[in-house]
Every structure is written in structure tokens, then in C-alpha cells.
Amino acid sequence: LEISVKQPVKVYKGMPIAALAEPGKGDEQLKLLRQTLRGNFIEAEYNIELPDKEVVWFLISYHQAKNNEGETVGVFVSTKNITERKKREEELRQSNERFQLISQVTSDAIWDYDVKNTEIYYNDSFKKYFGYDPADWKNGYDLWEKHIHPEDKERVNTGFNKCINSKATYWEDEYRFISFDGSVAYVYVRGMILRNDAGEAVRVIGSMQDITRQKENELRIAFSEHRFRSLVQSGTFGFGVFECNDIYATYEELKAKGVKFTTAPKEEFY
């Protein structure tokens, strides 16, 4: 018999059952064995600390052992090393705690995407800013994709899937998102990609921030600059940049103040 715990295993034939258990857990082992003999199927998880302080977890299953006549003659015990599974569970627990803490301290819509099951969880801010009930979006990858503005959808999907299928650990993008009331919101989205030991993406946790007001201001400024530049390049209008409190000034007065003109001056400017 050999169990992968990085140390040799003794032959325990003839030893009392309690001696096979971890120190202090002999009575618990006997209780499980008696329950199995009464016809119950038992599974239990145990951990062992090795000499190098590494903790190894096992799933132990107890089955009745029967002879050819169907009589119970003992208990068959099988053991499975579940250390990696327990590590992933602990990482998931810590990740869930971080998710809950972040949800409490930020005003952004926080989302948690299960890559394998294509399930998304949003916090309550998702309804506050975009009008959707998070409960309706649990199986919401397709819903999310459907509500991306048509002109942004292909770009966003391509970028997101490229990150998921690579070794990237971070994703961010800006796009237009259709809210519950039909209005279009500009959003800034970012996420941290969690991967398993094989490097496969298993979960993405991130935030979704409404930047509509900021984006509209940027577009308004860009449009104003474009219009101003078009007027200048056309040569149709003269212009000057100056600071004065005069409501009315002649060309000579403005020139005396250092104002420069791009076209021939008119006699007076209002």
C-alpha cells in the first residue's frame, strides 16, 4: 500500500483501528466504522501535516465489505488525495471574501464571471446605474453581449476572448452599454483573470464604471475644437485671442493690446 504523502507507509495489519487514526481522532474513526457496519456509506475529509509542514488533505470513504453470501465481514476504506481541490476551494473562498469587500467599499458595478459555466454575478450597483436586476443576469454572458452597442460588440468580444484564451491576467475596455430604459451609457470595464494550474481562465472578477458624463464632455470638447479648426483652415473668418473688458474696440486699439489677426482687418470689431 502506498499513499502519495511523500513518505513511506507502514503495514498496519493486526493493529487496533484507533491506532490508524491521527492522534486524538481514534474515537472518531471507530464511530465512523461502526456507522458503516450498520449499513451507512460514510465519507470524511482529513488533513495530515507532514514533517516539512506541508498539509495534505484526504477524502476517506467507508464501505461495507461483504462475502459471497452477502454477509458483512468488515469495512473497506478507500483514500483519495484531495489537496489540490482543497487549495482551489480556499483560493475561491478568499476570492469571494475580496469580492464582497470590494462590493461594500466601491460605487462601481462589481461583476464576477464563471468562465466554465458562463455565469455572471453582479452586485446591487448594477441595478442602481443600469436598471437591471442582478438576479436576472446570473446566466447572463449572452445578455451582456446582447446589450453591448452594435458598433462596439465585435471589438469588445474579440478583445475579451483574446485575453481569456491567452495567459493574460488583466482585461480592460471602454464601450457603449444599453441600459434597461434604452439609454446608452459609456462604461469603463476592467477585470482580473484567475487561472488554474493549467493556465486556463476559470474566473474573472471586475468592475463596470459609468463614465457617460465624462465621455460626453470629451466629445463636446472634441466637436468644438473640430469646428473651430475647420473655420480657421477655411480662411473665411479672421480671429483673435485676447482678454479685455472692452465691449467695443477699434482695430488700432486691439492692435495696441497685442492682438494679432489672421486676415486683413476690418475697420471695427464688435
Side-chain angles (χ1 to χ4, degrees), residues 4-15:
S4 180
V5 294
K6 299 182 181 178
Q7 62 180 0
V9 178
K10 298 178 181 179
V11 177
Y12 294 102
K13 185 177 180 180
M15 295 178 62

Side-chain angles (χ1 to χ4, degrees), residues 28-43 60-66 72 74-77:
E28 183 179 344
Q29 287 279 18
L30 287 172
K31 181 180 177 180
L32 294 174
L33 290 169
R34 291 191 183 105
Q35 289 178 355
T36 305
L37 288 172
R38 288 196 294 267
N40 298 317
F41 169 70
I42 305 295
E43 281 190 335
I60 303 179
S61 303
Y62 300 80
H63 313 257
Q64 281 189 348
K66 297 180 181 292
T72 300
V75 176
F76 174 74
V77 181

Side-chain angles (χ1 to χ4, degrees), residues 126-192:
F126 188 58
K127 184 173 184 178
K128 177 181 177 182
Y129 291 110
F130 307 106
Y132 296 106
D133 188 339
D136 297 334
W137 280 59
K138 182 179 180 181
N139 299 312
Y141 182 85
D142 291 339
L143 280 173
W144 168 72
E145 184 181 32
K146 180 180 178 181
H147 287 79
I148 299 174
H149 192 282
E151 294 178 2
D152 298 335
K153 184 178 299 184
E154 183 178 355
R155 172 182 60 80
V156 174
N157 269 330
T158 299
F160 181 71
N161 288 317
K162 182 178 180 180
C163 284
I164 291 296
N165 296 321
S166 68
K167 299 300 180 182
T169 57
Y170 185 78
W171 170 72
E172 66 177 342
D173 208 342
E174 287 185 13
Y175 57 87
R176 288 164 289 180
F177 183 76
I178 302 172
S179 299
F180 181 77
D181 62 4
S183 62
V184 176
Y186 286 89
V187 296
Y188 169 57
V189 181
R190 52 187 169 178
M192 179 177 62

Side-chain angles (χ1 to χ4, degrees), residues 2-222:
E2 185 174 330
I3 302 174
S4 180
V5 294
K6 299 182 181 178
Q7 62 180 0
V9 178
K10 298 178 181 179
V11 177
Y12 294 102
K13 185 177 180 180
M15 295 178 62
I17 290 295
L20 303 180
E22 297 176 62
K25 293 187 177 181
D27 291 340
E28 183 179 344
Q29 287 279 18
L30 287 172
K31 181 180 177 180
L32 294 174
L33 290 169
R34 291 191 183 105
Q35 289 178 355
T36 305
L37 288 172
R38 288 196 294 267
N40 298 317
F41 169 70
I42 305 295
E43 281 190 335
E45 295 181 358
Y46 292 98
N47 64 72
I48 300 174
E49 184 175 314
L50 303 183
D52 62 1
K53 302 302 181 181
E54 179 184 358
V55 176
V56 181
W57 281 88
F58 295 99
L59 174 65
I60 303 179
S61 303
Y62 300 80
H63 313 257
Q64 281 189 348
K66 297 180 181 292
N67 60 20
N68 294 333
E69 286 72 37
E71 299 172 331
T72 300
V73 294
V75 176
F76 174 74
V77 181
S78 61
T79 304
K80 180 180 180 181
N81 189 323
I82 58 169
T83 304
E84 291 304 316
R85 193 196 80 188
K86 296 296 288 187
K87 287 180 179 179
R88 290 194 296 270
E89 288 177 355
E90 176 61 18
E91 291 172 355
L92 182 62
R93 184 191 65 78
Q94 294 179 5
S95 180
N96 285 335
E97 287 184 354
R98 288 194 296 268
F99 180 83
Q100 295 301 328
L101 288 172
I102 293 172
S103 296
Q104 294 172 14
V105 300
T106 183
S107 59
D108 295 349
I110 304 299
W111 51 275
D112 183 351
Y113 174 47
D114 181 338
V115 178
K116 181 179 179 180
N117 298 311
T118 64
E119 294 181 350
I120 301 179
Y121 172 81
Y122 291 92
N123 69 347
D124 292 338
S125 293
F126 188 58
K127 184 173 184 178
K128 177 181 177 182
Y129 291 110
F130 307 106
Y132 296 106
D133 188 339
D136 297 334
W137 280 59
K138 182 179 180 181
N139 299 312
Y141 182 85
D142 291 339
L143 280 173
W144 168 72
E145 184 181 32
K146 180 180 178 181
H147 287 79
I148 299 174
H149 192 282
E151 294 178 2
D152 298 335
K153 184 178 299 184
E154 183 178 355
R155 172 182 60 80
V156 174
N157 269 330
T158 299
F160 181 71
N161 288 317
K162 182 178 180 180
C163 284
I164 291 296
N165 296 321
S166 68
K167 299 300 180 182
T169 57
Y170 185 78
W171 170 72
E172 66 177 342
D173 208 342
E174 287 185 13
Y175 57 87
R176 288 164 289 180
F177 183 76
I178 302 172
S179 299
F180 181 77
D181 62 4
S183 62
V184 176
Y186 286 89
V187 296
Y188 169 57
V189 181
R190 52 187 169 178
M192 179 177 62
I193 304 172
L194 305 180
R195 299 183 178 276
N196 59 19
D197 294 337
E200 300 168 330
V202 295
R203 191 175 179 189
V204 188
I205 301 175
S207 64
M208 183 173 178
Q209 182 181 8
D210 187 344
I211 59 169
T212 303
R213 182 174 298 180
Q214 171 189 331
K215 205 68 179 179
E216 288 177 344
N217 287 337
E218 291 176 0
L219 292 173
R220 189 177 295 110
I221 292 172

